[in-house]
Amino acid sequence: MTIDREELKKKAMKAASAKEVMGIVRAAEEEISAEEAEHIFKKAQEKKADKELSLDELDAVSGGEDRDWVADGCAATVEYGSWCGSNDMCYWIDVTYDHEPTSYLCPNCGQHMYLHEREYTGNLGSGPIYKNWYRCKFCGCIQTQYQLEKS
């Protein structure tokens, strides 16, 4: 099922309670905790009270932001793989990264690497094969890995 995040945001903005936010998200077959629902409800109430939106909020409302993970870091200003518990609530604000952060760790320094480049190399009966180049933004190490995407 394809989820229309914009429609989900509009419905959440109109919710009368955190419980209603939770119901809206779960009706879209997404998982959400009571704490996340409460946070989203509070943010929606704050936005309703504000007459003027900041540039970041306008960017978020217009469909998220494009961000270069190497130059700009995490949109929530936390390290890869962690959740800040507040800030931009990545669950609701779609962030598209150039140089997407990955869970692939650098063999030299142990930091998370980013997807530097991806090349289609052919098709195996079960799906396309890609050659991925991962680069460490901390020490510059480059690693390659082939990836089969099952269709």
Side-chain angles (χ1 to χ4, degrees):
M1 177 177 155
T2 303
I3 296 168
D4 182 350
R5 295 237 182 254
E6 290 304 313
E7 189 61 33
L8 214 51
K9 288 177 192 177
K10 287 177 188 174
K11 288 180 181 179
M13 286 297 289
K14 295 178 183 175
S17 67
K19 188 174 182 177
E20 190 175 336
V21 169
M22 188 179 293
I24 290 166
V25 174
R26 288 191 175 159
E29 297 180 7
E30 290 276 317
E31 289 297 317
I32 186 170
S33 70
E35 293 82 21
E36 290 169 323
E38 183 66 33
H39 175 79
I40 291 164
F41 177 69
K42 284 181 182 177
K43 285 290 186 184
Q45 296 306 306
E46 289 172 12
K47 287 188 189 287
K48 286 180 189 177
D50 290 341
K51 300 286 184 219
E52 198 173 310
L53 296 177
S54 71
L55 292 177
D56 288 340
E57 290 170 325
L58 284 171
D59 193 30
V61 171
S62 68
E65 69 177 288
D66 292 326
R67 189 176 182 93
D68 187 336
W69 186 71
V70 174
D72 305 324
C74 175
T77 65
V78 294
E79 290 302 314
Y80 175 83
S82 63
W83 180 62
C84 61
S86 62
N87 201 323
D88 74 350
M89 198 64 178
C90 295
Y91 179 83
W92 283 97
I93 298 175
D94 298 320
V95 177
T96 304
Y97 288 105
D98 290 331
H99 301 113
E100 174 183 326
T102 69
S103 59
Y104 196 66
L105 296 177
C106 176
N108 293 338
C109 68
Q111 297 291 325
H112 288 279
M113 300 179 89
Y114 65 90
L115 183 59
H116 179 68
E117 190 175 333
R118 186 170 207 213
E119 176 186 327
Y120 173 77
T121 60
N123 200 329
L124 195 60
S126 57
I129 300 172
Y130 293 93
K131 183 176 183 182
N132 296 331
W133 282 268
Y134 297 98
R135 186 176 184 115
C136 178
K137 77 176 189 176
F138 301 97
C139 73
C141 175
I142 296 176
Q143 296 285 309
T144 59
Q145 181 182 35
Y146 286 90
Q147 178 182 6
L148 170 65
E149 287 194 4
K150 300 197 181 202
S151 45

